[in-house]
Amino acid sequence: MLPLVLVIASDRDLCEPFRHELSAAGFKAYYVESLPSALAVLAQWRFDAALLLGRGFEAGLLRMLQSLRDAADVPTLAVLDAADEERQLQALDAGAAQVLVEPT
C-alpha cells in the first residue's frame, strides 16, 4: 500500500510540481485547498503525512499548523516561500515536524 499524503495548498497550480514528484517517489496524494477541507478529510481518513504549501496562507499559516497538530496525529511538513529563520522557527513551534524553504 502506498503512503498517503494530504497536500494542502491555496491553489491547485502550486501543487503541480509536487504532484509529479510525490507520484514518482511512490506516494499517493490527496489535495485540498483550505483548512476546513483538510480537517474534514483528516476526520475521515488516516494519512501518513501532511504537506502544507505556505504560499497563499501567509497570514494564517501558524494557525493552520496548530489546528492540524490539534486535530490529527499526522507529521506535517511546511513548505515556506521565504528563508526567514524566525518564520521557520515559528512554524516548528506551531506544529510542523519539518520546514522546507522553496525552491525545494
Side-chain angles (χ1 to χ4, degrees), residues 46-96:
R46 175 87 176 129
F47 288 85
D48 296 296
L51 177 64
L52 176 58
L53 305 180
R55 195 178 329 150
F57 293 124
E58 288 82 7
L61 179 73
L62 299 179
R63 183 180 55 82
M64 291 180 75
L65 286 166
Q66 291 166 342
S67 296
L68 290 169
R69 178 188 61 204
D70 295 342
D73 184 25
V74 60
T76 302
L77 171 66
V79 180
L80 304 180
D81 60 350
D84 178 2
E85 188 174 303
E86 180 65 28
R87 183 81 165 155
Q88 293 173 36
L89 292 173
Q90 289 172 344
L92 290 168
D93 285 341

Side-chain angles (χ1 to χ4, degrees), residues 4-69:
L4 187 58
V5 177
L6 178 62
V7 180
I8 308 159
S10 64
D11 184 351
R12 285 245 181 222
D13 292 337
L14 295 175
C15 295
E16 283 308 310
F18 292 96
R19 181 183 313 270
H20 297 293
E21 293 298 322
L22 287 170
S23 179
F27 292 94
K28 181 174 172 83
Y30 186 86
Y31 297 87
V32 296
E33 294 179 359
S34 68
L35 178 60
S37 296
L39 295 176
V41 169
L42 284 168
Q44 296 177 20
W45 295 341
R46 175 87 176 129
F47 288 85
D48 296 296
L51 177 64
L52 176 58
L53 305 180
R55 195 178 329 150
F57 293 124
E58 288 82 7
L61 179 73
L62 299 179
R63 183 180 55 82
M64 291 180 75
L65 286 166
Q66 291 166 342
S67 296
L68 290 169
R69 178 188 61 204

